């Protein structure tokens, strides 16, 4: 996951609607079922999906009243904490 991408996607959600990301995730998940995709291509799709889910989580925290910067930092700390375990 990359914080600049999650930040950019969070901004996109604020300016548009989170439904765009949800539908994009569904399309990308459907693409992963194509048997002719190479591992590298699946990795890229997986990274995109992860960043989109991250942006949705950040937006959820913002909707619950958290400041955008704080939501981004909290999310990344949670991600890094889960990697360290």
């Amino acid at each position: 996951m990359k914080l600049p991408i999650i930040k950019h996607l969070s901004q996109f959600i604020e300016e548009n609607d989170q439904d765009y990301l949800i539908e994009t995730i569904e399309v990308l998940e459907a693409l992963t079922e194509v048997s002719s995709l190479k591992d590298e291509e699946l990795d890229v799709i997986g990274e995109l999906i992860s960043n989109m889910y991250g942006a949705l989580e950040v937006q959820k925290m913002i909707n619950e009243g958290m400041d955008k910067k704080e939501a981004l930092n909290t999310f990344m700390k949670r991600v890094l904490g889960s990697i360290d375990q």
Side-chain angles (χ1 to χ4, degrees):
M1 290 188 184
K2 297 186 189 257
L3 187 59
I5 293 173
I6 293 172
K7 188 175 180 180
H8 185 79
L9 289 170
S10 295
Q11 184 66 37
F12 178 86
I13 292 171
E14 287 178 17
E15 294 170 1
N16 298 281
D17 192 321
Q18 76 177 15
D19 289 342
Y20 287 108
L21 253 62
I22 293 168
E23 291 170 359
T24 303
I25 290 168
E26 291 172 0
V27 170
L28 291 172
E29 287 176 342
L31 278 176
T32 62
E33 297 172 9
V34 175
S35 61
S36 62
L37 285 177
K38 298 176 184 172
D39 288 342
E40 300 84 27
E41 294 167 326
L42 286 171
D43 289 344
V44 170
I45 292 171
E47 184 70 19
L48 289 169
I49 292 170
S50 294
N51 286 312
M52 288 181 192
Y53 274 124
L56 290 171
E57 283 294 314
V58 168
Q59 190 61 39
K60 180 180 173 187
M61 287 186 263
I62 292 169
N63 290 344
E64 292 172 351
M66 193 177 286
D67 174 69
K68 183 177 182 177
K69 185 175 179 179
E70 184 182 350
L72 287 163
N73 288 334
T74 299
F75 177 76
M76 289 311 290
K77 285 179 187 175
R78 195 169 72 204
V79 169
L80 292 174
S82 68
I83 292 172
D84 291 341
Q85 293 179 357

